[in-house]
Every structure is written in structure tokens, then in C-alpha cells.
Amino acid sequence: MTRWQPLPATLPREARHLVEQLRLLKGRTGLSLAGLARRTAYSKSSWQRYLSGDRLPPRSAAQVLCRLAGGDQARLLALWELAEQAWPQGASEPRTEAVPESQAEAVPEPPTGQRRWRIAALAAFALVALLTAGLLWALPRRGG
């Protein structure tokens, strides 16, 4: 279980309540910050900022965390709206559009090494397929 630092004393009550709920949801997922980053479109450092109260998370980040934890989306989004209004100016992330559900929990990209091997394997398969097609096209002409 993660031991959280105390939230900044300057954080408004509404923002504090949102961050506390996000921390509970994150705990419910059982994921580390790195695991959360792999399962979402947000980096480990972004999640660290959101869960420490340094930055207001984008609405879509709150939504995806809530979905991963099986939380009440309507309640969390109401908290997010209140927190957005109360959040100190200059401490929020740029507003982003909500991520569609199909993209919000996208399968994480494989590590770079695996992605390179996958591309190399696909390229080799395409090359073999082209050579085979060329041979099949050329062989009947030789026999005749």
C-alpha cells in the first residue's frame, strides 16, 4: 500500500477531496504508479503529480482511473467539476477532451525491444511472401 505525503495546505477543500478519492481508487486497483501508467495514457510522473495534489488531473485521467477501479463515475466526475472550479490557477494540466472508452483502457504498447522484433518479424514475413509469389509466378514459365 502506498504511503502518501500530506496534501499541500493551500489546496482547497474540494480539490483535496478529489485527490483523496483518486488515491483511494488507485489503491483499489492494486497498481503501482508505473503499472497505472502502463494501463492508461498518462505517465508515471503525471500520476505522481495528480495524486500528490500538485496538478489537477485531466477529466479523462480521472475517468480512466475510476473505470479501472470500478468506481462510481458520476460521483467522481461531480467531484472533479467542483475541484476544477476551486483548483488554484496555474496548477492544472491543459484541458483535454475526454478519451473514448475504447481508447481509455487501451492495451499498453509493448516495450521498445518487443516492438522492434515485431516489426522485423512482419518485414521478414512480407519479404518471404513476396519471394514465394515471385517464384510461383516465374516457375511455370521456365517449365514451358
Side-chain angles (χ1 to χ4, degrees):
M1 183 170 184
T2 305
R3 289 194 172 251
W4 297 106
Q5 295 293 322
L7 293 172
T10 57
L11 201 60
R13 183 175 49 96
E14 294 86 354
R16 179 178 300 276
H17 193 58
L18 173 67
V19 173
E20 289 168 351
Q21 290 302 309
L22 292 173
R23 286 177 172 187
L24 287 173
L25 290 170
K26 187 251 178 222
R28 201 184 300 171
T29 66
L31 296 170
S32 65
L33 291 175
L36 197 54
R38 284 190 298 271
R39 298 279 311 266
T40 66
Y42 303 94
S43 69
K44 177 182 171 183
S45 58
S46 291
W47 282 115
Q48 178 63 41
R49 287 189 298 273
Y50 306 152
L51 296 170
S52 67
D54 291 339
R55 299 277 180 181
L56 173 67
R59 180 183 173 104
S60 55
Q63 284 178 301
V64 72
L65 177 58
C66 190
R67 217 175 352 264
L68 285 172
D72 181 357
Q73 285 238 353
R75 182 174 184 270
L76 185 70
L77 292 178
L79 289 174
W80 187 88
E81 294 289 337
L82 293 171
E84 181 191 35
Q85 294 170 10
W87 205 276
Q89 293 298 321
S92 62
E93 293 284 317
R95 262 194 102 130
T96 59
E97 293 300 315
V99 177
E101 274 191 49
S102 61
Q103 294 176 1
E105 293 184 50
V107 176
E109 285 290 318
T112 306
Q114 286 181 358
R115 189 171 28 240
R116 286 184 184 152
W117 275 106
R118 186 178 296 163
I119 291 170
L122 287 173
F125 178 76
L127 181 62
V128 168
L130 284 173
L131 288 174
T132 303
L135 285 173
L136 291 174
W137 180 75
L139 285 178
R141 293 179 185 231
R142 277 190 178 171

